[in-house]
């Protein structure tokens, strides 16, 4: 009897060990420091990873009104990491992710880099994505607000391009743990441009980025913002979670305060950094592949997030004058041609022109 119990105990230990090995493949490619960071900051425990994921998956039955189109281990894991392994909060985020897509079907129709609207936004640098990460391992995203040519790009297409970019980037497990930083440069962003920011489209962006996406945003930095951007921020502040409000920094023209949070070695020269000026085509070339063309011609016909991350970066090409599209406004203030289609119906601008 004793030998039988010993054999059963050995088999259980062996099965447990195999299960542990099987589940830790989800952490494959992560360095020891990142794994330790996930343990300390996110409460990630390789020994209970399977149970944590399954608990979230078991909650899906409670929301029959939502179509959960993807429920594999790796996918659910990013939601757990975004909510520090609080299973209830992770499931809430997972549900909101798919509900947001159900409620905004048009936004996610042809949701790939070769969609005409998304392509134009990417070409104009929405968003910019720096190759190097900051000193905490976070990916730095850039938005040069004045580049919003409202006769060329709708706000919704810019938002789609940002969400698509995040979908690609979040495949990287390091970024699921370390997170992102967003810097918005408001230089030369006109009052007329700002007047197009209606409550409905701003709420759409907040819901899509704050409430429905499994990413950790370590900071949102406003640079060179005029007074009317302060006014806009005051209006949208009630829609922001307390945690989000605490991570928004209004630097104005004070780049020193920006550098206290993000080292100059990580930033392009537009932000007082030591890197070359940002090339607007860098991220678009990554998503669109070798067929990217500076003359706005696209021959790349499909997007596959699993392959995008394998596109090799070529810093020499990205920073060469031949391929440089500098981060400057592509439209002069006051030259907007017509209103965005479908975004101003039944909405009022937050800022009214005289």
């Amino acid at each position: 009897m004793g030998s039988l119990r010993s054999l059963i105990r050995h088999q259980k230990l062996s099965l447990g060990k195999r299960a542990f090995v099987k589940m830790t493949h989800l952490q494959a490619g992560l360095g020891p420091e990142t794994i330790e960071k996930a343990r300390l900051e996110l409460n990630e425990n390789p020994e209970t990873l399977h149970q944590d994921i399954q608990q979230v998956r078991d909650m899906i039955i409670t929301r029959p009104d939502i179509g959960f189109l993807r429920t594999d281990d790796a996918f659910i894991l990013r939601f757990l990491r975004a909510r520090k392994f609080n299973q209830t909060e992770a499931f809430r985020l997972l549900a909101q992710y798919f509900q947001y897509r159900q409620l905004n079907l048009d936004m996610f129709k042809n949701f790939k880099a070769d969609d005409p609207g998304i392509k134009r936004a990417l070409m104009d640098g929405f968003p910019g994505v720096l190759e190097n990460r900051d000193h905490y391992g976070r990916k730095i995203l850039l938005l040069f607000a004045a580049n919003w040519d409202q006769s060329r790009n709708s706000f919704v297409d810019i938002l789609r391009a940002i969400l698509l970019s995040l979908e690609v980037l979040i495949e990287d497990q390091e970024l699921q743990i370390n997170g992102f930083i967003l810097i918005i440069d408001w230089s030369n962003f006109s009052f007329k441009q700002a007047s197009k920011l209606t409550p409905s489209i701003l709420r759409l962006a907040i819901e899509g980025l704050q409430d429905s996406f499994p990413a950790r945003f370590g900071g949102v930095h406003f640079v060179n913002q005029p007074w009317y951007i302060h006014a806009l921020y005051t209006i949208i502040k009630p829609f922001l979670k307390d945690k989000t409000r605490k991570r928004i920094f209004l630097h104005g023209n004070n780049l020193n305060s920006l550098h206290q949070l993000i080292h100059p070695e990580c930033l392009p020269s537009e932000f007082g950094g030591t890197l070359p000026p940002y090339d607007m085509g860098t991220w678009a070339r990554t998503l669109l592949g070798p067929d990217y063309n500076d003359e706005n011609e696209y021959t790349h016909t499909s997007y596959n997030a699993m392959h995008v991350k394998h596109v090799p970066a070529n810093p020499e090409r990205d920073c060469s004058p031949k391929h440089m599209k500098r981060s400057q406004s592509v439209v002069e203030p006051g030259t907007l041609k017509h209103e965005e289609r479908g975004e101003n119906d039944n909405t009022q601008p937050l800022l009214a022109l005289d």
Side-chain angles (χ1 to χ4, degrees):
M1 180 64 71
S3 60
L4 179 60
R5 286 176 179 171
S6 177
L7 177 62
I8 292 172
R9 185 164 59 251
H10 174 75
Q11 287 176 337
K12 285 182 177 179
L13 288 171
S14 178
L15 287 171
K17 185 176 181 181
R18 285 202 298 271
F20 173 78
V21 171
K22 179 182 177 183
M23 290 313 300
T24 51
H25 79 277
L26 293 168
Q27 295 180 319
L30 294 176
E33 291 183 1
T34 306
I35 291 175
E36 180 66 5
K37 181 177 182 178
R39 184 184 71 83
L40 293 174
E41 295 185 12
L42 307 183
N43 306 309
E44 183 167 330
N45 183 354
E47 295 184 12
T48 61
L49 214 49
H50 176 69
Q51 295 95 307
D52 294 331
I53 291 170
Q54 191 57 45
Q55 283 185 33
V56 173
R57 191 182 284 118
D58 289 343
M59 297 180 196
I60 289 175
I61 196 173
T62 66
R63 292 299 304 270
D65 56 313
I66 296 175
F68 293 86
L69 303 181
R70 185 179 169 187
T71 59
D72 57 274
D73 290 347
F75 188 71
I76 291 177
L77 178 56
R78 65 187 63 171
F79 291 86
L80 281 163
R81 285 170 170 163
R83 291 297 180 263
K84 297 187 175 182
F85 277 77
N86 180 316
Q87 291 92 345
T88 302
E89 289 300 315
F91 173 71
R92 181 176 289 114
L93 181 61
L94 178 68
Q96 289 171 337
Y97 174 91
F98 285 114
Q99 186 174 47
Y100 182 77
R101 280 148 180 74
Q102 281 182 199
L103 295 174
N104 301 286
L105 289 175
D106 288 343
M107 279 183 61
F108 297 96
K109 227 177 259 182
N110 198 38
F111 189 56
K112 50 188 179 180
D114 65 352
D115 172 82
I118 292 177
K119 285 190 297 190
R120 285 193 299 270
L122 290 170
M123 284 286 293
D124 288 351
F126 295 107
V129 180
L130 294 184
E131 182 180 351
N132 297 329
R133 304 180 185 187
D134 80 342
H135 52 292
Y136 292 115
R138 299 175 295 192
K139 201 71 170 174
I140 302 175
L141 277 60
L142 308 175
L143 293 178
F144 294 92
N147 280 14
W148 180 22
D149 179 349
Q150 295 166 346
S151 68
R152 174 177 162 84
N153 294 312
S154 72
F155 183 91
V156 170
D157 280 337
I158 289 174
L159 177 59
R160 293 172 72 218
I162 293 170
L163 288 170
L164 177 67
S165 298
L166 287 170
E167 289 283 1
V168 175
L169 293 167
I170 204 66
E171 292 287 335
D172 186 334
Q173 290 204 73
E174 295 270 352
L175 296 181
Q176 292 175 20
I177 295 167
N178 294 328
F180 300 86
I181 289 176
L182 176 62
I183 305 176
I184 307 176
D185 184 0
W186 297 98
S187 300
N188 301 316
F189 188 70
S190 70
F191 189 92
K192 190 170 185 179
Q193 285 173 301
S195 71
K196 301 295 184 181
L197 296 173
T198 63
S200 61
I201 61 175
L202 288 174
R203 189 160 55 246
L204 186 70
I206 292 169
E207 290 172 355
L209 295 169
Q210 173 189 258
D211 302 329
S212 308
F213 197 83
R216 304 182 68 209
F217 286 97
V220 178
H221 301 268
F222 285 16
V223 175
N224 299 318
Q225 71 276 6
W227 65 267
Y228 39 88
I229 295 303
H230 279 278
L232 281 176
Y233 176 62
T234 301
I235 293 171
I236 67 169
K237 207 170 180 181
F239 299 104
L240 301 175
K241 294 177 180 177
D242 185 56
K243 182 185 289 187
T244 303
R245 287 197 295 267
K246 289 178 179 177
R247 293 177 179 174
I248 294 178
F249 303 90
L250 308 179
H251 298 284
N253 298 320
N254 184 4
L255 292 180
N256 288 331
S257 66
L258 176 67
H259 296 164
Q260 289 174 9
L261 298 171
I262 309 173
H263 294 171
E265 293 78 14
C266 305
L267 296 171
S269 59
E270 293 92 331
F271 301 103
T274 60
L275 298 177
Y278 182 68
D279 173 3
M280 286 297 183
T282 301
W283 182 240
R285 281 194 290 273
T286 301
L287 288 187
L288 293 164
D291 293 322
Y292 168 94
N293 189 302
D294 285 329
E295 299 302 320
N296 294 344
E297 294 294 334
Y298 297 85
T299 56
H300 188 67
T301 56
S302 65
Y303 156 73
N304 187 327
M306 297 306 293
H307 291 95
V308 165
K309 59 185 176 181
H310 298 302
V311 176
N314 188 335
E316 292 183 1
R317 182 188 180 211
D318 292 346
C319 297
S320 65
K322 180 179 178 182
H323 295 90
M324 182 70 73
K325 183 176 181 182
R326 298 290 287 276
S327 51
Q328 58 192 14
S329 177
V330 296
V331 58
E332 293 297 324
T335 62
L336 308 181
K337 296 179 181 177
H338 56 73
E339 292 186 347
E340 300 155 309
R341 183 178 56 197
E343 287 187 11
N344 294 310
D345 299 340
N346 301 318
T347 60
Q348 293 295 324
L350 290 176
L351 299 172
L353 290 168
D354 292 336

